Amino acid sequence: MKVIVLGAGILGVTSAYQLAKSGHEVTVVDRQPGPALETSFANAGEVSFGYCSPWAAPGIPMKAMKWLFMKHAPLILRPKLDLAMLSWMARMLSNCTSERYAINKSRMLRLADYSRIALAELRTETGIAYDERMQGTLQLFRTQQQLEASAKDVKALAADGIPYEVLDRDGCIRVEPALRHVREKIVGGLLTPKDETGDCFKFTNALAAKAEALGVRFAYGTTIKALDVEDGRVCGVVTDRDGDRERERMSAHAVVVALGSYSPLLLKPLGISLPVYPVKGYSLTIPITDASRAPESTVMDETYKIAITRLGDRIRVGGMAEISGYTNDLGLARRSTLEHSVTDLFPGGDVSKASFWSGLRPMTPDGTPVIGPTKVAGLFLNTGHGTLGWTMSTGSARLIGDLVSGRAPEIDAKDLAVSRYA
């Protein structure tokens, strides 16, 4: 079949690669001049198969109220008269129950573990290098209360057979030796040893080159205007080309929407309600000046919800959740929070040399992505992964490859479809 993939981020490129491997004629359309230049560009670098939880969790509403008044807050809310924002927030609050948390986390862990297997096989198959490491994620607790609250995550990990280890202070230092300089600031941690790290931008670009070698065509610098639908079936995509601004119709037998936060805007005219909303995150990329004071893998600072990740000769510091719509400005207060977390746990680095970035994460109210068919024949979605697009990309792409090709997926994907919101 002729398949068009909309979006050249990590989800779009992995989907295109899998579809090409299945024998389809694939075109990827993106407004940017190359792959992975938006949300996939400078994310936290975590590939978190075990450290994988919905933001909507019991106790979050109360925590959110407290965070709003913190100087270095993990949550920033800029309310506005936006029905999509208000509806998304209401739905998220409705998922902050123990029952919903258990269901959503189980979905996420199922897909994440499938992605772990898929990424390992893809790495062997292609030989792609992307500053990858396989040394786990350490969720670091500064207070006893945080350590005790991790019991719900431990329960979910155990139920799904995901390896983990609860560590005391010395255990944390054994895993991350640089923490010995700040041992008095930590009480313990939760290690998920199967987690990995890597540069999402490097990976996506390398895989895009592999996809091109399989015959995938990339139409960069192309703005998507609308989906072309006739008699309930998608027929292609209407674009607005850069040079002469002429409208161009690209025909296809199937279309995969992997546009992240912008997916709902394209689908709305078709009567498809997709509750994905942008939640902005920030990152710093800092050159390592003293390897003995740098993390070995990923340390997740639970107090500030900030990930500190080793990527080759750099440290990537990423986190925060800013609900402010489709704005992508860089606030200096957010940079201050990132600098505070990394220098507090790993003192000695030179943050003045850091590059500062922000991206819009496509979040669903329940935290799980939307993958699968829609009510429009031939139209598929692969979006809404939030902070876990890099983590879940390879498994999500395999699901899309199977679903578009009419094959039964290797894992249950029915509860990931957009129909769950009907």
Side-chain angles (χ1 to χ4, degrees):
M1 293 190 297
K2 289 178 68 176
V3 183
I4 296 175
V5 177
L6 304 182
I10 181 65
L11 274 306
V13 170
T14 51
S15 296
Y17 180 82
Q18 286 296 330
L19 288 162
K21 280 185 61 183
S22 295
H24 301 297
E25 180 184 334
V26 184
T27 299
V28 179
V29 183
D30 197 286
R31 64 186 178 186
Q32 296 288 353
L37 290 175
E38 294 199 21
T39 305
S40 302
F41 181 70
N43 64 23
E46 297 174 272
V47 189
S48 307
F49 307 121
Y51 183 75
C52 181
S53 298
W55 285 10
I60 284 296
M62 291 301 296
K63 286 182 180 179
M65 293 299 293
K66 181 182 70 173
W67 288 336
L68 291 175
F69 298 99
M70 285 174 57
K71 178 182 177 182
H72 297 297
L75 173 67
I76 305 98
L77 176 61
R78 294 181 179 174
K80 56 179 68 178
L81 291 175
D82 180 348
L83 290 179
M85 175 192 285
L86 296 174
S87 173
W88 181 86
M89 290 176 65
R91 289 192 181 197
M92 183 180 179
L93 289 173
S94 72
N95 276 278
C96 292
T97 66
S98 297
E99 180 183 6
R100 294 304 308 171
Y101 180 84
I103 292 170
N104 295 330
K105 186 173 178 77
S106 180
R107 287 175 180 167
M108 296 170 77
L109 287 172
R110 182 202 319 152
L111 179 56
D113 198 52
Y114 182 53
S115 296
R116 177 182 62 81
I117 297 166
L119 177 58
E121 292 178 355
L122 182 62
R123 193 165 47 232
T124 299
E125 174 187 315
T126 63
I128 287 176
Y130 50 97
D131 288 333
E132 70 278 8
R133 289 191 172 209
M134 293 80 180
Q135 294 174 240
T137 294
L138 176 62
Q139 186 179 2
L140 195 68
F141 306 124
R142 295 173 182 255
T143 69
Q144 187 63 30
Q145 184 180 13
Q146 290 173 345
L147 180 59
E148 292 169 359
S150 69
K152 66 180 185 302
D153 290 323
V154 167
K155 182 178 179 181
L157 291 168
D160 284 270
I162 307 298
Y164 69 90
E165 187 178 354
V166 179
L167 303 175
D168 59 13
R169 178 183 287 124
D170 289 336
C172 292
I173 294 170
R174 170 176 54 81
V175 172
E176 288 287 355
L179 291 174
R180 69 186 182 277
H181 301 291
V182 295
R183 60 177 295 121
E184 73 285 353
K185 295 181 180 179
I186 60 179
V187 300
L190 175 61
L191 176 68
T192 43
K194 294 295 185 180
D195 285 3
E196 302 178 11
T197 57
D199 188 318
C200 184
F201 176 77
K202 285 187 175 183
F203 178 91
T204 307
N205 275 266
L207 190 62
K210 298 286 185 182
E212 281 191 297
L214 291 177
V216 175
R217 172 179 170 248
F218 286 85
Y220 296 122
T222 303
T223 300
I224 301 151
K225 302 297 290 185
L227 293 164
D228 191 4
V229 176
E230 295 179 9
D231 299 322
R233 169 171 287 279
V234 71
C235 302
V237 180
V238 178
T239 68
D240 193 346
R241 302 293 288 188
D242 260 7
D244 53 15
R245 310 304 292 173
E246 291 180 359
R247 291 167 68 82
E248 178 181 306
R249 182 182 181 276
M250 303 172 68
S251 63
H253 301 108
V255 174
V256 176
V257 178
L259 291 171
S261 298
Y262 296 90
S263 301
L265 308 182
L266 186 68
L267 298 169
K268 188 176 180 179
L270 303 180
I272 298 174
S273 178
L274 178 63
V276 168
Y277 197 77
V279 177
K280 185 160 61 171
Y282 295 85
S283 76
L284 291 176
T285 305
I286 310 168
I288 293 175
T289 54
D290 183 350
S292 69
R293 288 181 171 269
E296 291 295 321
S297 187
T298 289
V299 172
M300 182 69 193
D301 186 347
E302 181 65 15
T303 298
Y304 303 107
K305 301 291 185 182
I306 286 174
I308 305 167
T309 300
R310 177 80 163 263
L311 294 177
D313 59 358
R314 301 158 294 148
I315 295 174
R316 177 69 51 74
V317 187
M320 289 176 287
E322 181 176 309
I323 304 172
S324 56
Y326 288 85
T327 60
N328 213 6
D329 56 310
L330 289 168
L332 292 180
R334 312 299 165 241
R335 176 170 183 144
S336 174
T337 297
L338 295 171
E339 290 181 353
H340 173 75
S341 177
V342 68
T343 57
D344 197 47
L345 291 177
F346 298 95
D350 187 357
V351 294
S352 69
K353 296 180 180 178
S355 57
F356 187 32
W357 172 88
S358 70
L360 301 179
R361 310 183 189 102
M363 294 291 298
T364 60
D366 58 18
T368 52
V370 182
I371 306 169
T374 68
K375 66 181 183 180
V376 177
L379 180 61
F380 297 83
L381 306 182
N382 191 8
T383 188
H385 294 71
T387 59
L388 296 166
W390 182 197
T391 296
M392 296 178 171
S393 58
T394 50
S396 300
R398 278 195 178 184
L399 290 179
I400 282 295
D402 287 338
L403 291 167
V404 172
S405 302
R407 298 188 297 263
E410 295 176 305
I411 64 170
D412 184 13
K414 296 185 186 69
D415 56 359
L416 299 176
V418 70
S419 57
R420 74 179 188 262
Y421 292 113

